[in-house]
Amino acid sequence: MRSSMECAMAASLTVVSAAALAGGIPTAVLEEVTVTGKLDRLTGSSVAANQGVVTHEQLDLRPVLRTGELMEAVPGLIVTQHSGDGKANQYFLRGFNLDHGTDLATSVNGVPVNMPTHGHGQGYTDINFVIPELVESIAYRKGTYYAETGNFSAAGAVDMRYRSKLEAPLFVMEGGTDDYYRGLLAASPQVGPGILLTALDYAHTDGPWELEENFRKLNGFVRYSQPLAAGQFSISAQGYDGDWRSTDQIPQRAVDAGQLGRFGNIDPTDAGSSHRYGISVDWGGVVGGGQMTALLYAVDYELNLFSNFTYCVDPVNGDQFEQLDDRRVHGGEVAWRDSFEALSRLQTLTVGVQVRSDDIGNVGLYRTIRGERFETIREDSVRQVSYAAYASVETRWSDVVHTTVGLRGDYFDFDVDANRLENSGTASDSIVSPKFALVLGPWSETEFFVDVGKGFHSNDARATTIRVDPNDGVTPVARADPLVDALGADLGVRTAIIPNLQLSASLWSLELDSELLFVGDAGTTEASRGSERYGVEIAAIWNPVHWLIIDGDLAWSQARFTDDDPAGNRIPGAIEDVASLGVAVDHPSGWFGGLRFRYFGEAPLIEDDSVRSEPTTLVNLEAGYRIGKSWRLSAALYNVFDSTDNDITYFYESQLANESAPVEDIHFHPVEPRTVRVTLRTSF
């Protein structure tokens, strides 16, 4: 019998077919090839060196301060925060400051998380509704080479999957510094012919901020699954509510002058609240000799966010603004996969269709004073509908040569009803995205990959119909293209020639026809110039003994605007270096734990590279002991060395109350100081 650590190590090398890794494919169709026993076998089934699956055994041994940090299990992905914890995290990957999720397609149980035409940022990705203990796996892939992934997936795609059942009912209690406490109760009893998975999760924290955050969130999840019609059926319901007070980024000059502490704030009335309620139905089974999956989902979502990034440019009313997003999302996906022989070669065909409708009742931007509206900048109702069809064919030309050729087509409709009639209108656009992958090997436990493909992201629907600046109603504004091309390429290698060690490396490039950049005074993103990126990624995972895993990854990238401009060609916020190192222990004596080192380097903050951010280094540690078969007690220490680095850094104009004009300055949000949390977990 293998230990849980060995299982985690084997599963970490699980290769999932291109179809199964799609952000909307239910688990039932996953065709996994798992390396068993040791780490010295390759499967020959990946289409790129930079895709993989992280299992719950590994996730359980990662010290995680925020739910969003689960996604840092993806090599090279950095997750930070620049405001209250109830707000979506900030993501960095492959030379992108992805803001809150643009160009990183994220899904949970196949249901998309990214929100297009969002009140705060295009592709907004808030995973506060995820319950970490329920996560079975995180599947990831990077690049534009997969027919099943579409909007927002240019940099990568991540799909979190929940477990179908628990080994036993679970009760978790946590407590820590900054008035942090959390309780979780979960169970999965047999009910009739199926399993009823239920979980209720409540958490609170004030954070280290001078303004107590008072972040409260309540999560609930219910899923019933059972065999049905030669397959597996499930219906799930999820609910999340959160509210908080925000400490947003603050100006460096105020801290240097002693006006503010590092954990201080300018506007104590900044705050937010959000909810996400969802229901989904999925089925996977055998149809027509192949594997079919079907998914339907509906989501009720709202965010109400009060922010003030420039403070007192308006010395009378201040600069606080409210961003509102209230929508209903409906969608579905059907995929079918089958293998057959043609041209005396084994072929695997995958076809699928996807549809999504976002009915946004109100996506608004308002000027406020202490949370009270006094001016409407824009207030829109938007209906955005997308349709997609895709197909891919994998051909095994020999035991060591196979190709995957894919084609995807997307069509988008936008209908904007704006408070200014001249900004109302309709728009539509379509895009066809070819994909190609060549895999050579394995030879001596080594595989080589060549990938090229086209992807895209959508722009905010409001930008496709705009005519005048909503701030003054007069200044002409150019419309943005609805869909933006992305062209990517990868050269990769993966080897397990050294026993118990797997190494992978890739050289990649990505070109975008238009970049999305953060705008400080509007608190949102807008389309900018075209860009190009290239970089190198190296990852390793080592299992020297059955109870120990050591993993590490390095990533370097260069990002530039491609269009000439006197302002310069650097892309603000594009991090150039990322590194991480992790140790996970699950010893037979009962001791377990994890150590994580995380580094992300400098980035230009302005196009001419005259202002740059400082690098950030963090070390987190968790250790615990299993008491019998039912109890676990652990303690975590976050930011072990009490680093004073920053989670996020911007450069833009702002004006303090004692200043007569706006001043260009660095604005930052610090990493949280050394934090302690204790967890008691029992199964019964």
Side-chain angles (χ1 to χ4, degrees):
M1 178 180 294
R2 293 181 295 160
S3 71
S4 61
M5 180 63 72
E6 288 172 310
C7 291
M9 195 57 177
S12 73
L13 298 181
T14 298
V15 178
V16 181
S17 67
L21 277 170
I25 303 294
T27 328
V29 80
L30 293 185
E31 181 180 309
E32 300 183 353
V33 183
T34 305
V35 180
T36 58
K38 295 184 179 180
L39 279 185
D40 55 4
R41 302 290 298 168
L42 294 185
T43 64
S45 296
S46 276
V47 299
N50 47 51
Q51 68 179 89
V53 179
V54 183
T55 67
H56 69 86
E57 291 94 347
Q58 292 170 278
L59 296 171
D60 285 348
L61 297 173
R62 295 179 70 94
V64 172
L65 182 67
R66 307 182 185 103
T67 302
E69 292 177 9
L70 287 171
M71 293 177 63
E72 289 193 345
V74 177
L77 178 60
I78 295 294
V79 179
T80 69
Q81 182 57 271
H82 78 99
S83 185
D85 283 329
K87 190 176 177 181
N89 294 104
Q90 196 93 5
Y91 304 97
F92 299 86
L93 180 67
R94 286 200 158 188
F96 280 90
N97 177 350
L98 296 162
D99 193 53
H100 297 291
T102 303
D103 291 308
L104 179 64
T106 303
S107 57
V108 176
N109 298 317
V111 179
V113 181
N114 302 72
M115 295 292 177
T117 310
H118 189 270
H120 183 68
Q122 180 70 341
Y124 189 86
T125 302
D126 180 7
I127 65 167
N128 270 302
F129 67 92
V130 170
I131 300 174
E133 288 81 0
L134 298 188
V135 177
E136 174 73 23
S137 64
I138 298 177
Y140 66 89
R141 82 268 300 282
K142 303 173 192 174
T144 56
Y145 325 120
Y146 312 91
E148 299 81 5
T149 54
N151 199 11
F152 302 124
S153 65
V158 177
D159 183 31
M160 294 186 179
R161 293 283 173 173
Y162 275 7
R163 312 178 194 208
S164 57
K165 65 177 296 184
L166 302 173
E167 294 180 1
L170 177 66
F171 179 56
V172 177
M173 294 184 297
E174 296 180 349
T177 52
D178 304 318
D179 200 22
Y180 171 80
Y181 51 87
R182 175 176 179 252
L184 167 69
L185 182 62
S188 57
Q190 182 91 24
V191 177
I195 301 295
L196 181 65
L197 174 64
T198 61
L200 186 64
D201 178 18
Y202 179 81
H204 171 274
T205 186
D206 283 331
W209 321 108
E210 294 178 14
L211 174 70
E212 292 182 351
E213 186 175 9
N214 195 25
F215 175 41
R216 297 171 293 182
K217 71 173 180 176
L218 177 64
N219 273 322
F221 181 80
V222 178
R223 172 194 283 159
Y224 183 74
S225 56
Q226 70 168 63
L228 179 67
Q232 187 72 14
F233 165 85
S234 71
I235 180 169
S236 305
Q238 162 272 320
Y240 159 73
D241 273 291
D243 58 83
W244 63 94
R245 296 192 296 183
S246 302
T247 294
D248 291 331
Q249 63 257 27
I250 56 176
Q252 184 67 55
R253 64 187 183 278
V255 177
D256 292 343
Q259 297 173 258
L260 283 179
R262 281 180 53 81
F263 302 101
N265 65 88
I266 299 290
D267 191 334
T269 64
D270 290 349
S273 63
S274 184
H275 76 244
R276 180 185 174 111
Y277 311 132
I279 186 169
S280 63
V281 179
D282 65 78
W283 179 85
V286 178
V287 174
Q291 290 285 330
M292 174 174 279
T293 62
L295 170 70
L296 294 173
Y297 59 86
V299 176
D300 180 290
Y301 171 85
E302 183 174 337
L303 172 72
N304 199 3
L305 186 65
F306 297 89
S307 306
N308 189 343
F309 300 145
T310 55
Y311 319 125
C312 297
V313 174
D314 179 346
V316 176
N317 300 303
D319 300 347
Q320 189 186 69
F321 55 90
E322 176 190 2
Q323 293 166 312
L324 176 64
D325 190 292
D326 184 8
R327 71 176 68 202
R328 312 294 178 268
V329 183
H330 305 87
E333 177 171 2
V334 177
W336 184 78
R337 176 182 175 88
D338 194 19
S339 296
F340 58 93
E341 279 201 11
L343 304 175
S344 300
R345 299 289 185 269
L346 179 64
Q347 317 276 345
T348 301
L349 172 68
T350 303
V351 295
V353 293
Q354 300 164 345
V355 62
R356 172 172 172 168
S357 171
D358 286 71
D359 294 304
I360 310 172
N362 187 0
V363 53
L365 178 62
Y366 311 91
R367 295 193 64 192
T368 55
I369 300 175
R370 294 184 293 277
E372 297 294 329
R373 296 178 190 173
F374 72 92
E375 180 184 353
T376 298
I377 298 176
R378 71 175 305 168
E379 190 174 63
D380 306 81
S381 295
V382 178
R383 178 173 169 80
Q384 178 172 326
V385 184
S386 63
Y387 309 89
Y390 62 85
S392 66
V393 177
E394 179 186 351
T395 304
R396 291 194 171 272
W397 302 99
S398 72
D399 290 341
V400 293
V401 178
H402 74 270
T403 59
T404 301
V405 178
L407 190 66
R408 179 185 178 91
D410 288 85
Y411 177 82
F412 282 71
D413 264 327
F414 306 93
D415 188 344
V416 179
D417 183 9
N419 61 321
R420 291 187 180 276
L421 183 61
E422 54 267 53
N423 286 336
S424 298
T426 61
S428 62
D429 201 358
S430 61
I431 190 169
V432 176
S433 306
K435 324 277 185 174
F436 175 77
L438 169 66
V439 182
L440 303 174
W443 295 293
S444 300
E445 306 300 338
T446 302
E447 294 173 317
F448 300 90
F449 304 87
V450 179
D451 301 279
V452 63
K454 181 180 174 182
F456 71 98
H457 69 235
S458 64
N459 276 325
D460 191 307
R462 295 169 294 179
T464 69
T465 62
I466 194 170
R467 289 183 175 86
V468 298
D469 186 339
N471 286 284
D472 58 25
V474 177
T475 305
V477 176
R479 295 180 176 181
D481 294 331
L483 305 180
V484 177
D485 287 359
L487 180 63
D490 261 80
L491 295 175
V493 60
R494 186 178 64 176
T495 182
I497 193 170
I498 301 173
N500 302 322
L501 175 67
Q502 181 164 306
L503 298 168
S504 64
S506 61
L507 173 66
W508 60 271
S509 68
L510 183 64
E511 297 180 3
L512 281 174
D513 282 356
S514 176
E515 189 81 14
L516 286 172
L517 294 181
F518 175 78
V519 182
D521 57 357
T524 188
T525 52
E526 66 180 30
S528 183
R529 294 178 277 162
S531 65
E532 63 180 5
R533 290 172 170 81
Y534 60 86
V536 178
E537 295 175 326
I538 301 172
I541 184 166
W542 182 36
N543 184 204
V545 292
H546 69 87
W547 49 266
L548 174 65
I549 292 178
I550 300 173
D551 69 271
D553 57 83
L554 297 169
W556 172 85
S557 61
Q558 178 174 290
R560 299 288 188 271
F561 287 119
T562 52
D563 299 334
D564 291 333
D565 191 300
N569 67 348
R570 297 297 184 98
I571 301 176
I575 291 176
E576 298 163 354
D577 307 293
V578 172
S580 73
L581 180 66
V583 178
V585 174
D586 191 3
H587 197 272
S589 65
W591 290 99
F592 65 91
L595 175 70
R596 302 298 308 180
F597 162 86
R598 187 194 74 172
Y599 167 88
F600 60 93
E602 298 180 357
L605 298 180
I606 191 170
E607 286 86 344
D608 65 7
D609 201 30
S610 60
V611 183
R612 295 176 65 84
S613 66
E614 297 292 330
T616 296
T617 302
L618 284 177
V619 176
N620 297 330
L621 172 67
E622 184 174 18
Y625 186 74
R626 303 179 192 278
I627 307 169
K629 295 182 178 180
S630 301
W631 295 85
R632 285 175 40 172
L633 180 64
S634 63
L637 185 62
Y638 300 95
N639 193 0
V640 172
F641 299 107
D642 207 21
S643 166
T644 57
D645 295 337
N646 296 327
D647 248 356
I648 190 71
T649 310
Y650 302 101
F651 185 79
Y652 57 84
E653 286 187 344
S654 64
Q655 184 173 333
L656 299 173
N658 61 350
E659 295 172 333
S660 58
V663 177
E664 288 187 331
D665 195 9
I666 287 175
H667 300 74
F668 70 92
H669 194 265
V671 299
E672 296 195 20
R674 186 183 293 120
T675 301
V676 178
R677 291 181 182 175
V678 177
T679 301
L680 178 64
R681 175 173 174 165
T682 182
S683 299
F684 55 93

